Short mmCIF file of all heavy atoms in Angstrom, two decimals:
data_model
loop_
_atom_site.label_atom_id
_atom_site.label_comp_id
_atom_site.label_asym_id
_atom_site.label_seq_id
_atom_site.Cartn_x
_atom_site.Cartn_y
_atom_site.Cartn_z
N GLY A 18 0.80 -1.23 -0.01
CA GLY A 18 -0.06 0.03 -0.02
C GLY A 18 0.84 1.26 0.01
O GLY A 18 2.05 1.22 0.26
N GLY A 19 0.20 2.40 -0.31
CA GLY A 19 0.85 3.65 -0.26
C GLY A 19 0.05 4.74 -0.94
O GLY A 19 -1.15 4.56 -1.13
N LEU A 20 0.75 5.83 -1.25
CA LEU A 20 0.07 6.98 -1.88
C LEU A 20 0.38 6.98 -3.36
O LEU A 20 1.54 6.91 -3.81
CB LEU A 20 0.60 8.29 -1.18
CG LEU A 20 0.13 9.61 -1.85
CD1 LEU A 20 -1.35 9.76 -1.63
CD2 LEU A 20 0.90 10.74 -1.16
N VAL A 21 -0.61 7.17 -4.13
CA VAL A 21 -0.52 7.24 -5.66
C VAL A 21 -1.43 8.23 -6.21
O VAL A 21 -2.56 8.45 -5.63
CB VAL A 21 -0.74 5.82 -6.25
CG1 VAL A 21 -2.20 5.37 -6.00
CG2 VAL A 21 -0.42 5.75 -7.67
N GLN A 22 -1.08 8.83 -7.28
CA GLN A 22 -1.98 9.77 -7.95
C GLN A 22 -3.03 9.03 -8.80
O GLN A 22 -2.80 7.91 -9.23
CB GLN A 22 -1.22 10.78 -8.86
CG GLN A 22 -0.31 11.72 -8.14
CD GLN A 22 0.33 12.69 -9.09
OE1 GLN A 22 0.89 12.30 -10.19
NE2 GLN A 22 0.27 13.98 -8.79
N ALA A 23 -4.20 9.68 -8.95
CA ALA A 23 -5.19 9.13 -9.86
C ALA A 23 -4.64 8.79 -11.22
O ALA A 23 -3.90 9.49 -11.79
CB ALA A 23 -6.37 10.12 -9.96
N GLY A 24 -5.05 7.54 -11.65
CA GLY A 24 -4.49 7.05 -12.96
C GLY A 24 -3.27 6.18 -12.80
O GLY A 24 -2.88 5.52 -13.67
N GLY A 25 -2.67 6.17 -11.59
CA GLY A 25 -1.49 5.35 -11.30
C GLY A 25 -1.78 3.95 -10.92
O GLY A 25 -2.93 3.50 -10.96
N SER A 26 -0.73 3.18 -10.58
CA SER A 26 -0.89 1.76 -10.26
C SER A 26 -0.18 1.40 -9.01
O SER A 26 0.84 2.04 -8.59
CB SER A 26 -0.30 0.91 -11.37
OG SER A 26 -0.93 1.17 -12.63
N LEU A 27 -0.65 0.39 -8.36
CA LEU A 27 0.01 -0.28 -7.16
C LEU A 27 -0.22 -1.75 -7.26
O LEU A 27 -1.22 -2.19 -7.76
CB LEU A 27 -0.57 0.20 -5.83
CG LEU A 27 -0.17 1.66 -5.40
CD1 LEU A 27 -0.98 1.98 -4.12
CD2 LEU A 27 1.28 1.77 -5.06
N ARG A 28 0.66 -2.48 -6.65
CA ARG A 28 0.54 -3.92 -6.51
C ARG A 28 0.57 -4.35 -5.03
O ARG A 28 1.56 -4.08 -4.42
CB ARG A 28 1.51 -4.76 -7.28
CG ARG A 28 1.20 -6.23 -7.35
CD ARG A 28 2.23 -7.04 -8.06
NE ARG A 28 3.47 -7.27 -7.29
CZ ARG A 28 4.29 -8.21 -7.55
NH1 ARG A 28 4.09 -9.11 -8.53
NH2 ARG A 28 5.44 -8.30 -6.80
N LEU A 29 -0.53 -4.95 -4.55
CA LEU A 29 -0.57 -5.45 -3.17
C LEU A 29 -0.13 -6.90 -3.15
O LEU A 29 -0.44 -7.70 -4.05
CB LEU A 29 -1.99 -5.25 -2.59
CG LEU A 29 -2.60 -3.80 -2.65
CD1 LEU A 29 -3.95 -3.83 -1.95
CD2 LEU A 29 -1.67 -2.80 -2.08
N SER A 30 0.44 -7.28 -2.08
CA SER A 30 0.89 -8.69 -1.87
C SER A 30 0.31 -9.16 -0.57
O SER A 30 0.16 -8.38 0.39
CB SER A 30 2.46 -8.79 -1.77
OG SER A 30 2.96 -8.40 -3.00
N CYS A 31 -0.02 -10.42 -0.46
CA CYS A 31 -0.53 -11.10 0.74
C CYS A 31 0.23 -12.39 0.94
O CYS A 31 -0.05 -13.40 0.12
CB CYS A 31 -2.04 -11.33 0.63
SG CYS A 31 -2.68 -12.14 2.07
N ALA A 32 1.10 -12.51 1.95
CA ALA A 32 1.83 -13.67 2.15
C ALA A 32 1.10 -14.52 3.29
O ALA A 32 0.73 -14.02 4.29
CB ALA A 32 3.27 -13.32 2.67
N ALA A 33 0.96 -15.77 2.94
CA ALA A 33 0.21 -16.66 3.83
C ALA A 33 1.09 -17.75 4.49
O ALA A 33 1.99 -18.29 3.83
CB ALA A 33 -0.92 -17.36 3.05
N SER A 34 0.78 -18.08 5.75
CA SER A 34 1.54 -19.13 6.46
C SER A 34 0.86 -20.50 6.31
O SER A 34 1.36 -21.48 6.79
CB SER A 34 1.67 -18.79 7.90
OG SER A 34 0.43 -18.76 8.56
N ARG A 35 -0.28 -20.49 5.66
CA ARG A 35 -1.11 -21.77 5.59
C ARG A 35 -0.41 -22.90 4.87
O ARG A 35 0.13 -22.71 3.84
CB ARG A 35 -2.44 -21.37 4.93
CG ARG A 35 -3.17 -22.54 4.28
CD ARG A 35 -4.70 -22.16 4.11
NE ARG A 35 -5.50 -22.38 5.25
CZ ARG A 35 -6.72 -21.90 5.45
NH1 ARG A 35 -7.28 -21.09 4.60
NH2 ARG A 35 -7.31 -22.14 6.57
N ARG A 36 -0.58 -24.10 5.46
CA ARG A 36 -0.17 -25.30 4.75
C ARG A 36 -1.12 -25.61 3.63
O ARG A 36 -2.31 -25.25 3.68
CB ARG A 36 -0.15 -26.54 5.72
CG ARG A 36 0.87 -26.46 6.78
CD ARG A 36 0.74 -27.76 7.67
NE ARG A 36 1.75 -27.73 8.72
CZ ARG A 36 1.86 -28.64 9.64
NH1 ARG A 36 1.04 -29.78 9.58
NH2 ARG A 36 2.76 -28.59 10.62
N SER A 37 -0.63 -26.26 2.55
CA SER A 37 -1.42 -26.60 1.41
C SER A 37 -2.11 -25.31 0.83
O SER A 37 -3.26 -25.31 0.57
CB SER A 37 -2.47 -27.66 1.74
OG SER A 37 -1.89 -28.83 2.18
N PHE A 38 -1.33 -24.28 0.63
CA PHE A 38 -1.80 -23.01 0.20
C PHE A 38 -2.69 -23.09 -1.06
O PHE A 38 -3.70 -22.42 -1.17
CB PHE A 38 -0.60 -22.07 0.00
CG PHE A 38 -0.99 -20.68 -0.55
CD1 PHE A 38 -1.58 -19.76 0.24
CD2 PHE A 38 -0.74 -20.36 -1.88
CE1 PHE A 38 -1.85 -18.52 -0.23
CE2 PHE A 38 -1.05 -19.13 -2.37
CZ PHE A 38 -1.62 -18.20 -1.57
N SER A 39 -2.31 -23.98 -1.95
CA SER A 39 -2.94 -24.07 -3.24
C SER A 39 -4.33 -24.70 -3.11
O SER A 39 -5.12 -24.64 -4.09
CB SER A 39 -2.22 -24.90 -4.19
OG SER A 39 -1.92 -26.23 -3.77
N SER A 40 -4.70 -25.20 -1.94
CA SER A 40 -6.00 -25.82 -1.79
C SER A 40 -7.10 -24.73 -1.38
O SER A 40 -8.23 -25.14 -1.28
CB SER A 40 -5.99 -26.93 -0.74
OG SER A 40 -5.16 -27.98 -1.19
N TYR A 41 -6.69 -23.58 -1.07
CA TYR A 41 -7.57 -22.56 -0.54
C TYR A 41 -7.66 -21.37 -1.44
O TYR A 41 -6.66 -20.86 -2.11
CB TYR A 41 -7.08 -22.13 0.81
CG TYR A 41 -7.09 -23.18 1.81
CD1 TYR A 41 -6.00 -24.09 1.99
CD2 TYR A 41 -8.20 -23.42 2.58
CE1 TYR A 41 -6.04 -25.15 2.91
CE2 TYR A 41 -8.28 -24.47 3.50
CZ TYR A 41 -7.21 -25.31 3.61
OH TYR A 41 -7.27 -26.43 4.52
N ALA A 42 -8.86 -20.79 -1.49
CA ALA A 42 -9.09 -19.55 -2.22
C ALA A 42 -8.52 -18.34 -1.45
O ALA A 42 -8.38 -18.39 -0.21
CB ALA A 42 -10.60 -19.27 -2.44
N MET A 43 -8.13 -17.37 -2.21
CA MET A 43 -7.63 -16.07 -1.60
C MET A 43 -8.39 -14.92 -2.16
O MET A 43 -8.92 -15.04 -3.34
CB MET A 43 -6.16 -15.87 -1.88
CG MET A 43 -5.23 -16.95 -1.30
SD MET A 43 -5.07 -16.88 0.48
CE MET A 43 -4.17 -15.25 0.62
#
């Protein structure tokens, strides 16, 4: 997250500790 001007872009990341990560929706 952060500050961006209208029309700009950001990429958010979410790191998970869950086992069998690919079995769960995010």
Side-chain angles (χ1 to χ4, degrees):
L20 175 64
V21 64
Q22 290 185 315
S26 298
L27 285 173
R28 189 180 76 159
L29 306 184
S30 298
C31 178
S34 65
R35 160 162 271 165
R36 293 182 179 178
S37 301
F38 176 75
S39 64
S40 297
Y41 296 88
M43 298 288 293

